[in-house]
Amino acid sequence: MRNDLQTSSRSLADEKTQGERVRYSEAALTPPVDVIEDSSGITLIADLPGVNRERLNLQVQAAALTIEAESDLEVPAGLHTSHTEVGLGRFRRVFTLSKELDTEKISAELTQGVLKLRIPKAEHARPRRIEVQAA
């Protein structure tokens, strides 16, 4: 059965046009992201398996936060894969950010393929206590 799958894949690949090949090479997976909001800002936690710091690109432009990454999952020497679930090692996700967030103070941390971004709220958007004067 494995040979049938490989043969089918090859025939389909042979039938692709050049435009389809380019589109596949530019394709990216959408990483799962948890968004947690508290009174001082938001935290985004993204799963980027196999991604290291050198292959991670974070950008903020206007009100858009873009996460782009490429995984570096290599098969150890002397081994070969018999089945691959995910053959595409590119990730891309774009978020539209609220004007209440301070994009100048974003912090990022990548640990074992898990990206943690902290975006604090801007001063004007943080809750504050209003003191009432006695008349």
Side-chain angles (χ1 to χ4, degrees):
M1 183 169 167
R2 190 174 135 233
N3 289 335
D4 292 340
L5 289 173
Q6 289 175 341
T7 304
S8 299
S9 296
R10 273 192 223 118
S11 332
L12 289 174
D14 293 341
E15 293 173 13
K16 287 183 178 182
T17 64
Q18 184 64 27
E20 288 173 326
R21 286 188 186 131
V22 169
R23 210 175 10 209
Y24 179 76
S25 69
E26 294 174 359
L29 297 170
T30 302
V33 177
D34 293 330
V35 180
I36 303 159
E37 183 176 6
D38 59 30
S39 62
S40 62
I42 63 170
T43 302
L44 285 84
I45 301 172
D47 292 331
L48 301 168
V51 171
N52 61 33
R53 204 175 124 210
E54 292 76 30
R55 302 186 119 211
L56 175 63
N57 181 25
L58 303 173
Q59 282 188 311
V60 175
Q61 185 174 4
L65 167 67
T66 303
I67 300 170
E68 292 180 312
E70 288 189 31
S71 65
D72 198 17
L73 296 173
E74 294 183 12
V75 177
L79 298 177
H80 70 281
T81 59
S82 59
H83 176 75
T84 302
E85 292 273 326
V86 178
L88 189 61
R90 293 185 54 204
F91 298 94
R92 186 169 198 280
R93 186 97 185 242
V94 179
F95 295 90
T96 301
L97 300 177
S98 164
K99 292 182 184 195
E100 293 182 353
L101 298 173
D102 189 348
T103 59
E104 297 295 320
K105 296 182 180 175
I106 296 176
S107 63
E109 178 183 310
L110 181 67
T111 307
Q112 296 183 346
V114 178
L115 173 66
K116 183 177 180 180
L117 289 169
R118 178 69 184 160
I119 310 172
K121 286 187 179 176
E123 272 311 309
H124 72 274
R126 290 186 184 182
R128 57 189 168 94
R129 183 175 170 84
I130 300 171
E131 194 172 316
V132 178
Q133 301 292 326

